[in-house]
């Protein structure tokens, strides 16, 4: 696969020179050929890094020693470096442009991608030496006057401010954030920036460049989507979940129907608790709710027989009699468990799918309450579930910042009396398992799921050695999930 047919333009640098630098603005796209497998691997590894940056950035003050320490610790388990060693810069360069293609499609995706890339860039820039920072500025045409310490000291002798190391003289309009927060000395239309604040003007420039680049990339999407190999991959990446799939494993039948009401109150994430409550009150869920909740129940251990009994017993309490249920709804449940149609073993929805796909309309109860609920209604629901006022404010602040998964993680901490979780929440079934671990009921389930997940990964590796094929989350799986969507439509 070739990224672009464009050749070097005037002013572009050879990639050997580009990769010789510890940091870049990603102004020049890659021009080499890579395989589809490498395409997806690079993108998924970078996506894991950006999600780690997001989680750490909300929990700790960005740039603080605690932030750096946590980012280093979390990144050790990734296949992507947070620091750019020379042999890793090619992967960093290519993966950035792949995710540009995936995350330029909507305003929400662009906003998320820009924020995480800016945060990652901030860490990498701060990790440079003062000499490397100056070289970076000059290399990217951010050339400002360097002012001697003696001159600055003469200007500021009555201010009580002390500047050390590198000081730049910058037009004030290039550093409005610093002027607003009064972190710099302002005189005659120029601000004098100490070395530790240079990152602010660099980040502003990087954010502007990346925003413009994403807008241009969005215009090229029709041409990219004409390639049937790329379209499903890019659509998948923008909704990608990179963790365990939580498909049904050896824990079948370990959850009884009598336990569901109790478990919903203590171990369900808010989205599933909301669906369960709506089902009990209305004795019915529309197809979006049935899919989201049905696959979740499958993932926590309900067998096919239990699922049929659960849905039938609830629906016949409403306007659906037993005969209509068997004719109109039973087939879709068997199909979900891989017993009908293509006999595909469908997996529970992850958080990204719940948040970004199929938003609920009036009369629907599926989706993510942190993403799709009115803030006032969300506040009332959290109050009803006895979340503390301070906890509610923390959750609403995260929701306001569009950190929906982190809001759910904070809800977990508050409802389980935990100060700081040791995991990053990405899946409703992960929430359930972690909750069961807290209450002492999830050790066996977690062990069995991990063992089976490793067996699945080994089988995938063996299969790839026999025949190279499209990634597992490619067009076939997308088509299968769309097929399940159509089966679950109201009769």
């Amino acid at each position: 696969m070739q990224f672009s047919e464009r050749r070097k333009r005037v002013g572009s640098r050879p990639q050997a020179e580009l990769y010789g630098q510890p940091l870049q603005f990603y102004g020049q796209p890659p021009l080499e050929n890579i395989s589809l497998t490498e395409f997806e691997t690079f993108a998924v590894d970078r996506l894991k890094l950006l999600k780690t940056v997001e989680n750490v950035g909300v929990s700790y003050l960005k740039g603080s020693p605690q932030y750096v320490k946590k980012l280093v610790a979390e990144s050790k388990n990734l296949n992507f470096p947070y620091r750019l060693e020379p042999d890793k810069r090619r992967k960093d360069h290519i993966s950035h442009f792949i995710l540009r293609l995936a995350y330029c499609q909507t305003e929400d995706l662009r906003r998320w991608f820009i924020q995480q890339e800016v945060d990652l860039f901030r860490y990498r820039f701060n990790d440079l030496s003062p000499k490397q920072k100056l070289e970076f500025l000059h290399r990217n045409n951010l050339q400002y006057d360097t002012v001697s310490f003696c001159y600055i000291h003469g200007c500021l002798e009555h201010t009580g401010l002390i500047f050390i190391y590198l000081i730049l003289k910058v037009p004030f309009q290039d550093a409005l954030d610093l002027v607003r927060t009064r972190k710099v000395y302002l005189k005659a239309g120029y601000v004098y920036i100490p070395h530790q604040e240079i990152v602010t003007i660099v980040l502003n420039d990087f954010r502007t460049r990346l925003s413009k680049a994403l807008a241009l990339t969005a215009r090229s999407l029709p041409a990219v989507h004409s390639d049937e190999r790329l379209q499903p991959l890019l659509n998948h990446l923008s909704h990608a979940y990179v963790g365990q799939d939580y498909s049904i494993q050896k824990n079948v039948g370990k959850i009884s129907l009598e336990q569901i009401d109790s478990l919903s109150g203590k171990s369900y994430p808010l989205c599933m608790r909301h669906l369960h409550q709506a089902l009990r009150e209305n004795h019915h869920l529309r197809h979006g709710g049935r899919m989201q909740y049905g696959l979740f129940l499958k993932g926590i251990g309900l067998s096919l027989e239990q699922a049929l009994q659960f849905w039938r017993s609830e629906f016949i309490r409403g306007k659906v009699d037993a005969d209509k249920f068997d004719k109109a709804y039973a087939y879709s449940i068997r199909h979900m468990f891989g017993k009908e149609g293509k006999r595909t073993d469908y997996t529970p929805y992850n958080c990204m799918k719940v948040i970004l796909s199929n938003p609920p309309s009036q009369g629907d109860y599926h989706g993510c309450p942190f993403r799709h609920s009115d803030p006032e209604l969300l506040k009332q629901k959290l109050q009803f579930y006895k979340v503390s006022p301070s906890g509610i404010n923390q959750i609403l602040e995260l929701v306001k910042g569009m950190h929906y998964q982190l809001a759910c993680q904070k809800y977990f901490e508050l409802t389980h009396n935990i100060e700081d979780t040791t995991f990053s929440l990405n899946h409703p079934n992960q929430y359930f398992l972690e909750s069961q671990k807290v209450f002492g009921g999830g050790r066996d389930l977690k062990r069995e799921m991990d063992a089976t997940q490793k067996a699945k990964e080994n089988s995938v590796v063996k299969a790839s050695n026999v025949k190279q094929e499209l990634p597992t989350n490619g067009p076939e799986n997308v088509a299968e999930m769309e097929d399940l969507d159509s089966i679950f439509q109201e009769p």
Side-chain angles (χ1 to χ4, degrees), residues 125-398:
F125 186 82
N126 285 334
D127 201 43
L128 300 177
S129 67
K131 180 181 178 181
Q132 288 175 317
K133 291 178 181 178
L134 265 184
E135 291 175 349
F136 179 86
L137 294 178
H138 294 160
R139 193 168 60 249
N140 290 279
N141 297 318
L142 295 174
Q143 300 184 28
Y144 302 112
D145 293 334
T146 303
V147 183
S148 68
F149 178 81
C150 295
Y151 174 70
I152 274 292
H153 181 73
C155 291
L156 303 180
E157 58 184 354
H158 300 298
T159 66
L161 299 178
I162 299 177
F163 289 85
I164 58 176
Y165 303 116
L166 175 67
I167 300 170
L168 294 183
K169 180 181 178 182
V170 178
F172 83 96
Q173 63 269 23
D174 290 349
L176 294 178
D177 290 341
L178 295 175
V179 174
R180 184 174 62 251
T181 54
R182 301 185 179 183
K183 292 184 176 180
V184 291
Y185 177 74
L186 174 63
K187 182 179 181 181
Y190 289 90
V191 293
Y192 296 86
I193 302 178
H195 78 286
Q196 63 268 29
E197 299 295 346
I198 294 173
V199 65
T200 302
I201 59 174
V202 178
L203 286 179
N204 287 340
D205 195 274
F206 178 60
R207 184 187 296 272
T208 300
R209 295 186 190 208
L210 183 54
S211 180
K212 291 179 179 178
L214 287 173
L216 291 174
T217 304
R219 298 178 188 175
S220 305
L221 275 182
V224 176
H225 284 172
S226 64
D227 189 328
E228 62 183 13
R229 301 169 302 168
L230 290 183
Q231 182 177 6
L233 285 176
L234 295 176
N235 289 340
H236 163 69
L237 283 171
S238 62
H239 297 74
Y241 167 66
V242 291
Q244 185 172 322
D245 63 12
Y246 295 95
S247 58
I248 196 162
Q249 307 291 349
K250 294 181 180 180
N251 56 313
V252 177
K254 292 196 174 183
I255 302 295
S256 68
L257 296 182
E258 291 74 20
Q259 290 178 288
I260 290 180
D261 284 329
S262 173
L263 289 172
S264 70
K266 67 177 184 179
S267 292
Y268 276 22
L270 192 60
C271 57
M272 300 305 169
R273 192 173 183 180
H274 182 57
L275 281 166
H276 181 77
Q277 182 180 352
L279 178 62
R280 290 303 197 202
E281 291 176 355
N282 303 319
H283 312 299
H284 187 272
L285 285 176
R286 292 182 176 178
H287 76 277
R290 295 199 303 273
M291 289 178 66
Q292 183 175 323
Y293 190 37
L295 289 171
F296 171 81
L297 290 174
K298 178 190 175 203
I300 69 173
L302 254 63
S303 65
L304 173 58
E305 292 74 20
Q306 287 177 309
L308 286 168
Q309 181 182 347
F310 173 77
W311 289 103
R312 180 185 290 108
S313 63
E314 196 60 49
F315 272 45
I316 62 177
R317 294 180 183 179
K319 299 179 180 180
V320 178
D321 57 36
D323 185 58
K324 182 178 180 181
F325 179 88
D326 291 336
K327 291 180 179 179
Y329 298 98
Y331 177 87
S332 62
I333 296 173
R334 292 195 299 271
H335 190 279
M336 185 197 306
F337 279 78
K339 303 302 181 182
E340 301 286 357
K342 296 181 180 179
R343 301 187 180 277
T344 301
D345 185 18
Y346 294 101
T347 59
Y349 287 0
N350 59 70
C351 289
M352 289 297 287
K353 182 170 180 62
V354 172
I355 291 170
L356 295 176
S357 63
N358 190 24
S361 57
Q362 186 174 2
D364 287 327
Y365 295 93
H366 63 274
C368 172
F370 301 106
R371 169 66 177 87
H372 298 117
S373 293
D374 178 82
E376 188 59 35
L377 294 178
L378 176 61
K379 180 179 180 180
Q380 294 175 13
K381 184 177 290 294
L382 294 173
Q383 289 173 338
F384 180 77
Y385 291 146
K386 296 181 172 54
V387 178
S388 66
S390 61
I392 292 175
N393 290 335
Q394 293 179 60
I395 290 174
L396 292 179
E397 280 299 313
L398 290 170

